[in-house]
Amino acid sequence: MTKKLAVIGAGLMGSGIAQVAAQAGYEVTLRDVTDEALDRGLASIKASYDKFVAKEKMTAQDASAALERITPTTDLDAAADADIVVEAVFEKLEVKHEVFTVLDKICKETAILATNTSAIPITQIAAVTSRPEQVVGTHFFSPVPLMKLCELVRGYKTSDETLARAREFAENLGKTCIVVNRDVAGFVTTRLITALVIEAVKLVESGVATAEDIDTACKLGFGHAMGPLATTDLTGVDILRNAALNIYTDTQDPKFFPPELLSRMVSAGDLGRKSGRGFYTYES
């Protein structure tokens, strides 16, 4: 029986999750609040498939079949018959609460309710549902079609069965999983990258070194594939700042408080690749 997946949010992460799931044979419902957002998401999926076809990593026939397995919609009720739901909306707890409150009411009793959050504790998200044992973190990485990691996160009440089913889902998509057993804000990966990014931003802010040289140091000195500031531009300066604030709010650890430069960039709209300018400038 073909598994049914609903992805809530057609942005960078949601469209990427939908893409790899459809490629793996899942019937995917992709939901966002506007047709324009859905059109952008589907266009990015098609463009990514086209690149894979051009590089002979999949056939044109397989790409076409995968696209046909994705059904776009603005109706959240379309998630009602999904076996797995992955929420990938904006990183604000109140926004996620709105989504999970509805999902709890409409989804079938056996459904797994997963969140792609990178920093908000799963227990807080699950608290608005009547089934917290079926809520789990499935933190994918950008770009989803290329990044092999999925961070599985237990909420306080996440059951062993839910965790096992989430692992099976992620591994079906070709991902390698790590398990976060205690539901701390930022989990493992976001805490590590946020601490590194904040220190890198402080070094730029105080004039110690340029963004380019800091990224070069991390790539050539530590073997990182991408430097922390280029990573921030790719992820979104606003997304990184929100993640840092979420961790700081939960821990009160001052090392996670966003530097002034990061906040000024968000206020100015320098959000990274998506705005054309962040720590680097990008051609449109």
Side-chain angles (χ1 to χ4, degrees):
M1 182 179 72
T2 301
K3 290 283 189 178
K4 294 184 177 181
L5 170 71
V7 179
I8 313 304
L12 178 67
M13 296 304 299
S15 62
I17 295 165
Q19 176 184 328
V20 295
Q23 191 173 345
Y26 285 79
E27 293 292 338
V28 181
T29 297
L30 181 60
R31 188 265 182 180
D32 212 309
V33 293
T34 67
D35 289 327
E36 291 77 13
L38 290 167
D39 288 344
R40 286 194 298 271
L42 288 170
S44 70
I45 292 171
K46 185 178 186 305
S48 185
Y49 282 154
D50 287 345
K51 288 180 182 177
F52 283 134
V53 171
K55 294 178 180 178
E56 298 183 348
K57 293 185 176 180
M58 66 188 302
T59 67
Q61 184 178 3
D62 286 344
S64 178
L67 267 178
E68 290 180 5
R69 285 193 284 271
I70 302 174
T71 303
T73 182
T74 56
D75 184 6
L76 189 54
D77 286 349
D81 65 344
D83 301 298
I84 302 172
V85 183
V86 179
E87 166 273 314
V89 303
F90 191 63
E91 282 283 88
K92 288 285 188 182
L93 182 60
E94 54 268 29
V95 178
K96 295 183 185 296
H97 274 175
E98 288 178 14
V99 171
F100 274 82
T101 298
V102 176
L103 293 176
D104 186 44
K105 293 175 181 175
I106 66 170
C107 290
K108 57 189 182 182
E109 290 182 1
T110 57
I112 287 179
L113 305 183
T115 173
N116 185 60
T117 183
S118 60
I120 300 173
I122 308 306
T123 303
Q124 292 183 19
I125 295 172
V128 296
T129 75
S130 63
R131 51 173 112 180
E133 68 281 354
Q134 290 166 243
V135 180
V136 63
T138 51
H139 178 208
F140 292 88
F141 290 77
S142 179
V144 180
L146 301 179
M147 298 293 279
K148 295 296 186 183
L149 182 65
C150 181
E151 191 175 31
L152 301 177
V153 187
R154 281 183 180 272
Y156 184 65
K157 294 187 176 180
T158 303
S159 70
D160 290 344
E161 180 189 357
T162 295
L163 190 71
R165 288 176 62 193
R167 179 188 285 275
E168 180 184 25
F169 164 66
E171 289 179 347
N172 285 346
L173 305 191
K175 306 306 179 187
T176 298
C177 299
I178 68 166
V179 176
V180 181
N181 286 307
R182 195 159 68 83
D183 188 24
V184 296
F187 318 136
V188 170
T189 57
T190 302
R191 286 174 81 101
L192 289 171
I193 189 61
T194 300
L196 180 59
V197 166
I198 285 177
E199 191 58 37
V201 173
K202 287 179 179 178
L203 291 170
V204 172
E205 188 175 52
S206 58
V208 171
T210 65
E212 293 88 344
D213 280 354
I214 291 167
D215 281 349
T216 297
C218 290
K219 288 189 290 184
L220 301 186
F222 304 149
H224 294 181
M226 181 182 287
L229 300 172
T231 299
T232 300
D233 276 0
L234 178 63
T235 303
V237 176
D238 54 334
I239 301 299
L240 195 287
R241 181 180 177 275
N242 285 338
L245 276 173
N246 285 331
I247 299 171
Y248 174 75
T249 298
D250 192 65
T251 64
Q252 294 299 299
D253 187 333
K255 75 170 174 281
F256 290 111
F257 191 78
E260 184 182 347
L261 174 59
L262 210 58
S263 296
R264 284 207 314 271
M265 291 174 68
V266 173
S267 297
D270 290 351
L271 306 181
R273 286 179 181 262
K274 61 188 174 186
S275 70
R277 183 180 178 88
F279 290 97
Y280 300 89
T281 301
Y282 304 90
E283 294 182 5
S284 58

